[in-house]
Amino acid sequence: MITNWDSVAWIFNDIGICCVIYIQEATLDDLEKVITFLNENDSLVFDVYNYEDLDPYKTTNQIDREFIFHSFSNHSETDDYAEIHFNLNGLEIHCFFELKDQIELSFESNSVKSIDDYKKVEELMIKLSTLLNKMVTLAYEGEAVFPLIKVDVTRGIIEVVDEKKYLNRFYTLKYQLLSLYSKFLDIFFPKKNRIMWDKIHEDDYLPKKIKDNVW
């Protein structure tokens, strides 16, 4: 377990950034296990919304399995959607089952203010890794391929990325070439450049394979 707050404090400093616990390459069996696990939390709230409304039309203290699984097989722009949130010993966690092969649990980064707060997050990741027998990661929203924390109980892994490595992530050859290409497009084909960055942004929120993670 991580016991040195200084080694992880930088991850949670930014206001307005969401940290996300990612379960990549999730199966329907994984989803079933996670739903069962979350339903054991007494503070869980399951809200169902219509896309046109700001307030939920249904609220329960248990995740509706049928609703979640049905949404994957019958998804459309007019479908209802669900939001799950629960209190983790003072830490508010949100869960959106939007991708059937990637499970995401998010919280505001600056809500983790001490090593005790961090241990709540780490303990949750350990429980999920043990439950599913696979790696669980924590990253900023939309950056699943660049984990900040990795937990894999089976392999005995609890690791935090080096801050300098994270800050220098855009200085790799891949990003340098992308930057040069973008500058070229911006000069000669600005519309194509905008389309490219819009697609990159959209792709950031699609499911990612573990093999695509930077480390």
Side-chain angles (χ1 to χ4, degrees), residues 122-139:
E122 186 181 79
E123 182 180 357
L124 176 59
M125 294 177 70
I126 289 172
K127 286 181 178 178
L128 291 170
S129 179
T130 302
L131 176 69
L132 305 176
N133 192 29
K134 61 175 52 179
M135 180 176 289
V136 175
T137 63
L138 182 141

Side-chain angles (χ1 to χ4, degrees), residues 1-3 8 118 122-123 125-126 129 135-136 148-153 155-161 215:
M1 297 182 72
I2 307 300
T3 58
V8 296
Y118 166 75
E122 186 181 79
E123 182 180 357
M125 294 177 70
I126 289 172
S129 179
M135 180 176 289
V136 175
L148 301 168
I149 301 169
K150 298 195 301 187
V151 172
D152 190 330
V153 172
R155 296 165 60 194
I157 294 174
I158 301 179
E159 297 178 355
V160 178
V161 72
W215 68 289

